[in-house]
Amino acid sequence: MMEPTVGKPSFLRNILVRVLLFSVLIIVVRFAYVVTIAGESCNLGDFCFFSLPDNFNLVTIGAGTGASGITANKAVRSNVVSPSRRDMYTSKEWIKAVNFYSSVFQDLISEGYVSQNAKSLCVETQYGQDVFALKEIGVEDSIGIFKKSSKPLVISGEGHRIPFGGNTFDFVFVGGARLEKASKPLDFASEIVRTLKPEGFAVVHVRAKDEYSFNSFLDLFNSCKLVKSRDIDGIDSSLPYIREIVLKKESDLILGHRENLPDVNVANKCSVPGYKQAFVRKAEPLIMEEPLKPWITMKRNIKNIKYLPSMADISFKNRYVYVDVGARSYGSSIGSWFKKQYPKQNKTFDVYAIEADKTFHEEYKVKKKVKLLPYAAWVRNETLSFEINHDPDKEVVVKGRGMGRIQPVQSLSGGGFDGEVDRIQGFDFADWLKNTVTDKDFVVMKMDVEGTEFDLIPRLFETGAICLIDEIFLECHYNRWQRCCPGQRSPKYEKTYEQCLELFTSLRQNGVLVHQWW
């Protein structure tokens, strides 16, 4: 009698067990990849677990005595989340943020800036509380972007590189003062405008407390017009107050959105905007009486200077630029003053050193963060004579050289100068400035050019380049009293202190924030 065969069922059982184990391994690996490497929540098709139940509710405390239920499955229905994310959706912080944004958006709906059928985008929202709030009040077609996604509410994207096509959204929202934290605010603003449909609305929450920062913000959105601005209470102590700004994209606007933009006419002349002129009235007073010891008086005066960044928020600027005209050595003013004393509000400045004296050029080769222009700032492009006058009134002497003064070459043909003379290249400084910075940049200039300021300043006005400069530190050169020789004035300069005062006064009367330098 033959024994029953058991090998075949055992073989099939082994095959089935191996297939089952292999399938489980695939699911585990896929789950681990999505959760730990991709850093995302996922939907059922991604082999994830822990879905929110359909009846999962977030209870949020309303303005009254009762409570209102926010049904989470409207925003994340049929989507699965990890236990940690489920805890986040029920946390006090989440509920508080959703309540705040719901109140904000309900006001905007009542005023007609967003509708329930609007295609909406929330920019740089890490977890998507604002997206959730939009969906819960009926604006279902809403999505957020952040550099690390947090699906289903937030996908991967950044403010300066929004992953959507042009004219996509009816409504764009930027909360939490996120725009002013951006490293590229102009690119950020340009992307908002690009993805916003014509006649669409952008609403941005900022900290802007002063007219300078408010107008700097508006300058970023030249193809939009200001519709409304109001102050509201912030979400928490980290942002206790907010300025809510509503903008509307208008396709027929090319430049400008308000009356106080720089007024540039066909001759390139300009007038400084009113909000900048207000800071001139807050500036330290000019020293009206000629000091007997100017080198001491002017140096002490630096303690009285009211710097623009100490009076205004400079966050909403595309670039931050410092131009040192007549820089001499790195330690003369860039290293000793600007780097150490100028209040930069933690901004990184592009630094330009303009210095014609070749004696100082070598040291700038090791200053990688300083761009040297080894020429003389002038009113046109031409060859100049560079006079090295060993003026006894000047203490700063490097390798036997005194302060340099530039003149057109032909002016020396008559002789009369006994000092050392070099031939150097002069360049049109105003033209260079207009090609290097824009009105969306924050520009600080120090000018110490041995009398050439009486040529350069009028040229800046003539070309309109003066309106590109936010703050000027100017040394005006005149026939001052000499330290070496009591009762004698320096023969190097023909201008008087009264003429210097006229120059400073003219700048301030035209709305330019200028300070007396030493």
Side-chain angles (χ1 to χ4, degrees), residues 2 24 82 85 122 137 147 177-178 180 198 258 264 282 285 298 326 365 406 427 446 459-460 483 486:
M2 297 180 62
V24 171
S82 66
R85 187 154 295 164
C122 298
I137 62 175
K147 59 184 176 182
R178 297 165 198 149
E180 60 199 76
R258 60 193 187 283
V264 182
K282 299 177 183 178
M298 295 299 182
K365 291 181 179 180
I406 62 173
F427 72 103
K446 188 228 80 181
R459 174 68 175 165
L460 290 172
R483 277 176 286 187

Side-chain angles (χ1 to χ4, degrees), residues 199-399:
E199 308 300 317
F201 292 96
V203 175
V204 186
H205 285 178
V206 299
R207 286 189 180 92
K209 305 178 291 293
D210 55 80
E211 287 303 303
Y212 183 89
S213 57
F214 177 62
N215 283 276
S216 297
F217 168 86
L218 293 179
D219 281 341
L220 298 174
F221 294 88
N222 274 349
S223 58
C224 292
K225 77 169 184 178
L226 175 65
V227 176
K228 175 185 174 182
S229 173
R230 65 167 181 159
D231 294 327
I232 62 175
D233 292 334
I235 188 170
D236 53 35
S237 58
S238 66
L239 196 62
Y241 56 86
I242 290 171
R243 176 173 282 190
E244 182 177 83
I245 301 173
V246 181
L247 303 167
K248 182 178 182 180
K249 180 177 177 180
E250 292 195 351
S251 56
D252 58 339
L253 282 180
I254 299 175
L255 288 174
H257 49 261
R258 60 193 187 283
E259 295 179 355
N260 58 349
L261 278 170
D263 180 19
V264 182
N265 62 25
V266 293
N268 291 323
K269 294 182 180 180
C270 72
S271 60
V272 177
Y275 69 91
K276 285 188 176 182
Q277 295 181 21
F279 292 104
V280 174
R281 295 189 288 271
K282 299 177 183 178
E284 74 283 354
L286 296 173
I287 300 172
M288 302 303 294
E289 184 177 346
E290 180 183 355
L292 296 177
K293 296 181 179 180
W295 53 92
I296 296 177
T297 303
M298 295 299 182
K299 192 169 185 178
R300 286 177 178 171
N301 188 54
I302 196 171
K303 297 178 182 179
N304 301 322
I305 288 177
K306 294 186 178 179
Y307 298 98
L308 179 52
S310 68
M311 298 186 284
D313 180 2
I314 62 173
S315 296
F316 300 109
K317 289 295 185 178
N318 187 46
R319 292 171 63 216
Y320 300 88
V321 180
Y322 173 61
V323 183
D324 197 322
V325 189
R328 293 181 65 77
S329 68
Y330 176 82
S332 178
S333 57
I334 297 176
S336 63
W337 168 72
F338 183 75
K339 291 285 187 180
K340 295 180 180 180
Q341 298 184 43
Y342 189 82
K344 305 175 191 65
Q345 295 187 7
N346 294 319
K347 307 300 182 183
T348 300
F349 278 71
D350 295 332
V351 179
Y352 294 88
I354 300 175
E355 178 52 58
D357 193 339
K358 59 187 178 183
T359 303
F360 304 106
H361 293 173
E362 190 67 26
E363 87 170 281
Y364 283 103
K365 291 181 179 180
V366 298
K367 303 298 180 183
K368 302 301 182 183
K369 296 184 179 180
V370 179
K371 300 177 180 67
L372 172 67
L373 277 69
Y375 314 109
W378 187 233
V379 297
R380 66 184 72 89
N381 299 326
E382 67 175 339
T383 301
L384 301 169
S385 65
F386 187 70
E387 304 175 355
I388 307 301
N389 187 336
H390 302 284
D391 189 345
D393 189 43
K394 293 286 187 179
E395 285 185 345
V396 181
V397 178
V398 179
K399 296 182 181 179

